[in-house]
Amino acid sequence: MQLYDDNPTLAGVAKELDESKQGEVFYREYAQPATIAGERLFYIESYGCQMNFSDSEIVASILAESGFRPTRDVEVADLILINTCSIREKAEETVRKRLRVFDQLKRNKPGTMVGVLGCMAERLKAKFLEEEKLVDLVVGPDAYRDLPALVATADDGGKGINVYLSREETYADINPLRLDSNGVAAFISIMRGCDNMCSFCVVPFTRGRERSRDAFSIIAEATELYQRGYREVTLLGQNVDSYKWQNPETEQVVNFAALLEMTAQVHPDLRVRFSTSHPKDITDEVLHTMAAHENICKYIHLPVQSGNSRILELMNRTYDREWYMARIEAIRRIVPECAISSDIIAGFCSETEAEHQDTLSMIEYADYSMSYMFFYSERPGTLAARKYPDDIPLEVKKRRLQEIIRLQAQVSFRHNQRDIGRTFKVLIEGDSRRSSDDFCGRNTQNKMTVFPKVGQYKPGDYVNVKVLEATSATLIGEIVD
Ligand code: SAH
Ligand code: SF4
Ligand code: F3S
């Protein structure tokens, strides 16, 4: 899953690639509706993974149903929400800093309500209310339906808290209010939670048990998006390959390969992406489904975390270096055009220099088109925090991370250079970040492509783009017939 929080590498390779905005959620579709007297405005800011951005759209829908309207101007908001991430210490620090800003806003405009949502709310629970006096609401990821009631509690002068984790909640019936929308690409949550218990990871604690959403509601959402002009959907989950839903009427089980196929059949012009795949679970069936459908994008985010088998064991990833390499081989065999990206952690507990070298050699071997790269940050309550000393000095972690980033930049550059002279089908997403004379959009391999505007093309159209130049983050080209 892509992360938009604190990642130092996002400033470089990754951020340029996905052109996404950090933190603030923008409202295009629902831009600044006229305020009706007495109507309350909410503002929402999201941190962390795509799942959180997707959840903010569910929250927005729930609030809209109870009479709130979105605003992108935090200063006029009656309700300020921050959807938080706990994945690394830095992510939590970012949230704390934003709360200082909201503190000030609240002082200037008494009566403004501040709510903390998401993973940090779940991790800290009532402690948040003790630590942060300005906070009125603390709402965990499975409790968003309760928001209107919690707001009412806060209206009455109380504090609203609900951090109950559910085994069933998937928000299947809620039609998300597309907040950060370019009108072309949208996220669809297909499952929630995670049962994997990687030893470094806080997600199972903040998101609870894994559960899959009703397949028909997913297809209905994809169909509606297509009808509204969207041309790309990304199926989201912490571990999409373990998606499993049983139709209560027929008892037929839908696995991820079947769901992918159903989504691809919504319309040949609707592109399908997915994230994140766990190396232990991605099946050949999924790969064959990808190969069989032109509109399933040839791109897999397959986080390796470490290239060394001993470290992978300590991380409780349940695969080793050889298994991971065999999955890469399967992808190359079945989906030869597929680009692969990764998440990598530098300096996990007890990692030696030789083990770090194994991670570097894996980057070469897997030939990642890009990676999200982090140094290990111990998270309270995780298996690693309880069992293994966080014994790699910060300077060593940072140096190893730099080595990883440097190598990945070279590998990405090489990957992109190979595309020069090739022509790709690109879905236009909008203006390029740098110039309104250029469009940007991604090819099937998820590579950001920038090219001059010509003719009558508009966002949502497919064009063939011939690549003329490439950096480590972007392909630069021109539209050809
Ligand atoms: N479900 C996804 C990952 C979600 S978290 C998966 O299994 O691949 C996104 C990424 O954050 C992880 O892949 C990992 O690389 C990184 N991460 C998670 N916990 C971390 C920690 N404690 N320190 C540093 N990076 C971490
Ligand atoms: Fe965390 Fe592992 Fe689950 Fe990913 S699969 S969310 S890294 S526990
Ligand atoms: Fe996502 Fe961060 Fe939570 S990565 S699941 S928002 S801890």
Side-chain angles (χ1 to χ4, degrees):
M1 180 135 335
Q2 289 171 16
L3 285 151
Y4 304 131
D5 58 353
D6 57 308
N7 182 359
T9 60
L10 283 180
V13 178
K15 188 163 182 196
E16 231 186 294
L17 192 78
D18 71 48
E19 295 223 335
S20 54
K21 290 162 221 84
Q22 193 176 354
E24 206 178 343
V25 173
F26 287 80
Y27 305 93
R28 295 226 181 102
E29 255 177 273
Y30 291 82
Q32 303 286 351
T35 327
I36 304 164
E39 192 178 50
R40 297 166 90 185
L41 296 174
F42 75 94
Y43 167 92
I44 186 164
E45 213 171 88
S46 310
Y47 294 85
C49 61
Q50 291 161 326
M51 208 81 198
N52 250 15
F53 283 74
S54 170
D55 279 3
S56 289
E57 299 184 332
I58 288 166
V59 167
S61 171
I62 291 168
L63 286 174
E65 287 287 308
S66 65
F68 276 89
R69 288 288 163 267
T71 175
R72 50 195 290 194
D73 182 357
V74 67
E75 303 209 354
V76 303
D78 303 292
L79 171 62
I80 301 174
L81 296 171
I82 181 160
N83 199 353
T84 61
C85 174
S86 283
I87 203 82
R88 283 170 293 279
E89 205 178 336
K90 184 88 189 306
E92 294 203 351
E93 284 166 12
T94 309
V95 168
R96 300 274 187 182
K97 275 195 210 129
R98 280 306 278 165
L99 288 176
R100 299 287 67 75
V101 175
F102 299 158
D103 230 339
Q104 194 53 49
L105 285 169
K106 206 169 163 167
R107 259 188 272 271
N108 297 344
K109 190 167 163 263
T112 307
M113 209 180 277
V114 174
V116 178
L117 316 177
C119 290
M120 227 174 138
E122 191 61 49
R123 194 178 83 73
L124 291 163
K125 303 186 170 61
K127 237 171 96 188
F128 226 120
L129 295 173
E130 289 159 31
E131 290 174 8
E132 301 280 357
K133 298 293 176 216
L134 84 154
V135 171
D136 304 291
L137 310 170
V138 173
V139 192
D142 286 345
Y144 296 144
R145 285 182 202 269
D146 202 21
L147 258 167
L150 296 168
V151 168
T153 305
D155 278 337
D156 292 341
K159 299 270 183 186
I161 176 163
N162 187 343
V163 288
Y164 171 74
L165 280 177
S166 161
R167 276 171 177 260
E168 286 94 33
E169 181 63 271
T170 59
Y171 300 109
D173 56 316
I174 292 183
N175 196 4
L177 198 80
R178 305 287 165 188
L179 293 172
D180 187 18
S181 177
N182 54 14
V184 176
F187 297 137
I188 302 181
S189 281
I190 63 163
M191 58 206 294
R192 301 182 71 81
C194 183
D195 283 350
N196 278 327
M197 288 298 185
C198 300
S199 65
F200 52 80
C201 186
V202 77
V203 172
F205 303 94
T206 63
R207 294 267 167 179
R209 298 304 297 268
E210 186 178 287
R211 63 219 97 119
S212 297
R213 176 180 165 188
D214 176 328
F216 295 122
S217 76
I218 296 169
I219 299 306
E221 192 173 328
T223 306
E224 201 219 303
L225 284 163
Y226 179 77
Q227 285 162 353
R228 286 169 54 198
Y230 285 80
R231 290 295 174 264
E232 182 180 298
V233 292
T234 302
L235 306 180
L236 287 183
Q238 293 299 347
N239 181 8
V240 289
D241 296 280
S242 64
Y243 176 88
K244 197 168 168 217
W245 179 77
Q246 187 172 28
N247 183 335
E249 274 151 36
T250 62
E251 297 200 347
Q252 192 197 357
V253 173
V254 179
N255 66 10
F256 184 59
L259 180 73
L260 203 51
E261 173 134 65
M262 285 159 73
T263 317
Q265 284 167 344
V266 167
H267 197 282
D269 282 341
L270 184 72
R271 273 186 168 178
V272 186
R273 297 186 188 276
F274 54 90
S275 189
T276 296
S277 299
H278 194 298
K280 80 174 159 62
D281 292 318
I282 188 162
T283 59
D284 285 359
E285 191 191 2
V286 166
L287 300 178
H288 285 297
T289 307
M290 289 178 76
H293 294 272
E294 191 268 340
N295 59 331
I296 302 180
C297 289
K298 305 300 179 270
Y299 169 66
I300 301 175
H301 186 55
L302 196 70
V304 70
Q305 313 298 359
S306 163
N308 176 268
S309 295
R310 188 187 73 90
I311 294 294
L312 286 168
E313 166 103 45
L314 292 184
M315 287 177 162
N316 201 23
R317 288 291 286 183
T318 68
Y319 55 85
D320 60 13
R321 182 178 172 90
E322 285 63 41
W323 170 278
Y324 188 88
M325 287 173 151
R327 295 324 296 152
I328 297 277
E329 284 318 301
I331 294 169
R332 289 194 179 131
R333 190 176 66 245
I334 301 169
V335 201
E337 275 292 283
C338 194
I340 303 166
S341 64
S342 194
D343 290 348
I344 298 170
I345 298 178
F348 186 66
C349 313
S350 79
E351 184 189 67
T352 65
E353 285 301 326
E355 289 164 343
H356 163 62
Q357 289 298 326
D358 283 347
T359 297
L360 293 175
S361 70
M362 183 62 94
I363 296 173
E364 284 279 3
Y365 175 84
D367 191 30
Y368 296 127
S369 57
M370 61 156 293
S371 291
Y372 294 90
M373 300 156 281
F374 319 94
F375 62 75
Y376 173 58
S377 165
E378 186 178 87
R379 308 311 293 135
T382 55
L383 190 74
R386 283 181 277 131
K387 264 177 85 176
Y388 312 123
D390 181 12
D391 54 0
I392 307 299
L394 187 60
E395 321 81 77
V396 177
K397 286 181 182 174
K398 285 188 172 169
R399 194 251 305 145
R400 288 182 189 168
L401 177 61
Q402 278 315 315
E403 288 173 11
I404 289 169
I405 291 172
R406 204 173 316 127
L407 178 63
Q408 181 60 63
Q410 287 166 11
V411 171
S412 298
F413 183 71
R414 197 174 66 201
H415 208 289
N416 289 349
Q417 289 285 309
R418 288 203 298 268
D419 291 336
I420 293 177
R422 297 184 62 193
T423 298
F424 294 102
K425 184 172 165 186
V426 172
L427 174 62
I428 303 178
E429 290 180 20
D431 284 359
S432 125
R433 200 150 42 98
R434 294 211 176 88
S435 162
S436 58
D437 295 334
D438 293 336
F439 275 136
C440 71
R442 281 167 296 152
N443 70 4
T444 184
Q445 295 189 324
N446 205 37
K447 290 189 182 181
M448 188 49 80
T449 310
V450 173
F451 46 92
K453 293 178 180 174
V454 291
Q456 298 301 307
Y457 296 113
K458 56 183 190 316
D461 289 343
Y462 287 101
V463 285
N464 288 320
V465 175
K466 184 173 181 189
V467 179
L468 304 173
E469 287 171 65
T471 68
S472 63
T474 313
L475 305 179
I476 300 142
E478 64 185 14
I479 296 177
V480 291
D481 291 329

